[in-house]
Amino acid sequence: MREIEFDVVVKAVRDIIVHCGTDLPQDTYDALEEAMENEASPVSKEVIRQILENANIAKDEKRPLCQDTGLAVFFVKVGDEVKIKGGLLKDAINKGTEQGYTEAYLRASTCEPFSRANLKDTVGYNLPAIIHFDIVAGDKIDIEYAAKGGGSENVSRARVFPPAAGKDGIVEYVKEVISDAGGNPCPPITVGVGIGGTFEKAAISSKHALFRDIGSKNPDPEMDEMEQRILTEINKLGIGAMGMGGTKTALAVHIEANPCHIASLPVSVNVQCHSSRHTHITI
Amino acid sequence: MAQYSLTTPLSSEDTKKLKAGDTVLLNGTLFTARDAAHSRLVKLIEEGKELPFDIEGSVIYFVGPTPPKPGDPIGSAGPTTSYRMDSFSPTMLKNGSKGMIGKGKRSQEVKDACVEYDGIYFGATGGAGALLGKQITSAEVIAYPELGPEAVRKITVKDFPVTVINDTHGNDLYQMGREQYEVKD
Ligand code: SF4
């Protein structure tokens, strides 16, 4: 058994939150630069230029990239030979989240669903974090983190299709979701598509698909082809950066597919704005 | 597509010359309000009570900033999605407000109100919170401090970059831009 101190996890989580608040990941920055070069509309080109300038200012001056600093979302793989000394792993992640959000002057955006009362003084500053756990072999903890903003989350959707809908049905559905969303999710976007599993498995897969680096290839050639096909279709919609019209609505489409029930074809579309604050660490 | 520099409060003369797609650098005072604040402001108007600021010619910025770092007037401050204000904006425009800054499409009622009351819906770059926050030189909470990031703030801006989305002539940049670049099979 490997013992990891509770505070080691707290600090690691705090550090990635502070970093992600102000530093746009390189994969996203590079993809935006490429989009700016290839964008046909001068208005959208200027929007992407501002997005890149914003990223430079945020990094240099340690200012939050966006005022919506998101809910903290984690995918955590815990090795079966790991023991946390001094507390629960979940509590350590929440504590690190609260510390990171407070210290980096990020916004507390969690609230009670009906009264809309902010939870910062009751549950904690921007708590609770959304944590998806998995148990794997080994003596390490693997943490993937993203700050997920509301604008792009609000346009996300899931639906269970009959199996006959097939690939064509999925492509049409993703197009419809993105077309209806227009400029609301702050394009250029990344589109996560979760296919198969059950209703909730598809949704979680579509979220996890967004953690993959933009520009990385799907290892499954069939899914890779489908990603390219959907990307082309989305970019034909003409939405453009911030919806102002253009050819670079999406930077990438990422698919995660799972086995599913013989009776159903669940599909979930989770949208990520250009402020794609995500990272990955191993403890 | 023209470029302008305008100082608030805006007059009908200012707004009528703007066309969807024009870029504008705004200067002067803006007031911040999101859904929670809008519902309170519109209630005051309906009850005939006084608003916490002069609405005539005002430009409302839909934003909930991050907390300021020590020494800064405000934190990051980019626009929030505007449709949540759709049910309130026509009342604001009818009562003298001349502009709104946000992101994302508006309802037909808001576009109609822009035509009827010489209002403009400006788009600012969503997610450019650090860049836009830097163009804000002062900020002061003037109402509803209990709403936290959603409180009404009076802010001063310098060369704050926006694009005209909906103009006083009924044009919509989101529609125009999309039609221009849409590829139909
Ligand atoms: S959608 Fe993303 S970039 Fe746009 S305001 Fe929300 S968090 Fe910021």
Side-chain angles (χ1 to χ4, degrees):
Chain A
M1 242 1 187
R2 177 182 168 216
E3 287 198 337
I4 300 176
E5 294 281 346
F6 182 86
D7 286 342
V8 169
V9 179
V10 172
K11 183 168 182 312
V13 169
R14 174 210 164 268
D15 288 351
I16 54 176
I17 284 177
V18 170
H19 178 80
C20 280
T22 56
D23 287 44
L24 194 67
Q26 198 60 43
D27 66 316
T28 311
Y29 194 96
D30 292 347
L32 284 164
E33 263 192 332
E34 198 185 317
M36 182 173 71
E37 271 163 39
N38 298 321
E39 173 57 64
S41 149
V43 179
S44 275
K45 231 189 206 336
E46 166 59 19
V47 170
I48 305 175
R49 191 200 61 74
Q50 281 187 22
I51 292 170
L52 289 166
E53 189 189 339
N54 181 68
N56 296 338
I57 292 172
K59 188 175 180 169
D60 294 346
E61 301 182 17
K62 294 283 164 251
R63 292 172 185 274
L65 282 153
C66 179
Q67 76 291 334
D68 183 352
T69 52
L71 293 197
V73 182
F74 297 90
F75 280 88
V76 183
K77 290 199 198 88
V78 192
D80 60 357
E81 292 164 43
V82 172
K83 188 179 176 335
I84 305 296
K85 206 175 143 206
L88 293 176
L89 180 55
K90 186 176 164 187
D91 294 343
I93 293 172
N94 275 315
K95 192 170 173 194
T97 300
E98 179 162 45
Q99 281 186 5
Y101 270 78
T102 323
E103 288 171 26
Y105 297 92
L106 306 180
R107 198 176 74 182
S109 305
T110 51
C111 72
E112 205 276 333
F114 303 113
S115 72
R116 312 303 292 177
N118 199 293
L119 296 178
K120 66 182 185 325
D121 300 320
T122 48
V123 179
Y125 198 93
N126 214 43
L127 294 186
I130 309 292
I131 313 171
H132 304 285
F133 283 109
D134 195 4
I135 298 170
V136 297
D139 64 355
K140 297 194 168 47
I141 305 174
D142 183 274
I143 300 178
E144 291 174 288
Y145 164 71
K148 191 69 177 67
S152 52
E153 200 70 0
N154 285 356
V155 300
S156 302
R157 262 189 241 165
R159 182 169 160 191
V160 182
F161 283 90
K167 278 189 187 164
D168 292 347
I170 295 174
V171 174
E172 275 313 304
Y173 180 60
V174 180
K175 251 176 79 178
E176 179 191 307
V177 172
I178 304 306
S179 175
D180 290 350
N184 287 6
C186 289
I189 51 175
T190 307
V191 183
V193 185
I195 302 172
T198 46
F199 184 71
E200 86 285 4
K201 178 78 181 171
I204 293 170
S205 298
S206 68
K207 167 74 76 282
H208 190 246
L210 296 173
F211 285 63
R212 203 176 103 205
D213 277 353
I214 301 172
S216 64
K217 220 172 156 59
N218 194 314
D220 178 341
E222 197 184 340
M223 288 303 103
D224 180 58
E225 193 195 320
M226 195 163 165
E227 289 179 356
Q228 297 315 317
R229 181 177 160 200
I230 299 176
L231 181 63
T232 307
E233 289 300 323
I234 289 174
N235 285 333
K236 281 190 198 164
L237 291 170
I239 296 168
M242 290 314 298
M244 297 194 187
T247 53
K248 292 286 161 196
T249 305
L251 301 171
V253 175
H254 293 166
I255 297 177
E256 279 193 20
N258 310 284
C260 55
H261 192 282
I262 48 172
S264 51
L265 180 59
V267 181
S268 170
V269 184
N270 197 195
V271 180
Q272 171 62 55
C273 57
H274 63 74
S275 201
S276 174
R277 294 151 286 182
H278 65 105
T279 193
H280 180 195
I281 53 162
T282 304
I283 304 176
Chain B
M1 281 174 283
Q3 283 183 325
Y4 296 96
S5 176
L6 291 174
T7 302
T8 62
L10 300 183
S11 64
S12 287
E13 199 187 318
D14 290 328
T15 59
K16 277 174 150 164
K17 69 181 177 202
L18 298 175
K19 297 256 160 54
D22 289 349
T23 49
V24 179
L25 294 176
L26 283 174
N27 287 284
T29 301
L30 308 176
F31 298 98
T32 75
R34 289 170 45 116
D35 352 6
H38 267 84
S39 86
R40 296 189 191 192
L41 295 171
V42 164
K43 195 154 175 272
L44 288 179
I45 292 175
E46 281 163 1
E47 290 170 351
K49 294 192 179 134
E50 205 182 323
L51 289 175
F53 57 88
D54 185 1
I55 194 169
E56 196 53 48
S58 62
V59 177
I60 312 293
Y61 186 17
F62 307 151
V63 60
T66 57
K69 286 213 257 180
D72 286 345
I74 202 162
S76 286
T80 193
T81 314
S82 307
Y83 73 85
R84 298 196 312 272
M85 271 55 75
D86 280 357
S87 56
F88 306 116
S89 293
T91 308
M92 299 294 287
L93 292 166
K94 188 177 176 192
N95 285 275
S97 178
K98 284 278 179 280
M100 304 158 277
I101 307 170
K103 69 175 176 94
K105 49 189 175 231
R106 310 304 306 270
S107 66
Q108 194 55 47
E109 288 72 31
V110 175
K111 295 184 212 175
D112 292 346
C114 284
V115 175
E116 193 171 349
Y117 307 113
D118 301 336
I120 297 283
Y121 171 49
F122 298 102
T125 299
L131 177 132
L132 294 169
K134 276 192 82 167
Q135 305 309 117
I136 299 172
T137 55
S138 75
E140 176 198 350
V141 173
I142 56 165
Y144 319 133
E146 67 280 9
L147 292 180
E150 301 207 43
V152 173
R153 289 173 172 78
K154 178 182 175 182
I155 63 175
T156 313
V157 293
K158 195 178 171 319
D159 293 339
F160 192 87
V162 291
T163 305
V164 177
I165 306 292
N166 296 114
D167 61 23
T168 62
H169 314 283
N171 297 311
D172 183 344
L173 178 66
Y174 292 141
Q175 243 169 324
M176 291 155 53
R178 195 158 163 177
E179 272 159 24
Q180 189 179 348
Y181 291 98
E182 186 174 2
V183 181
K184 293 212 175 83
D185 293 316

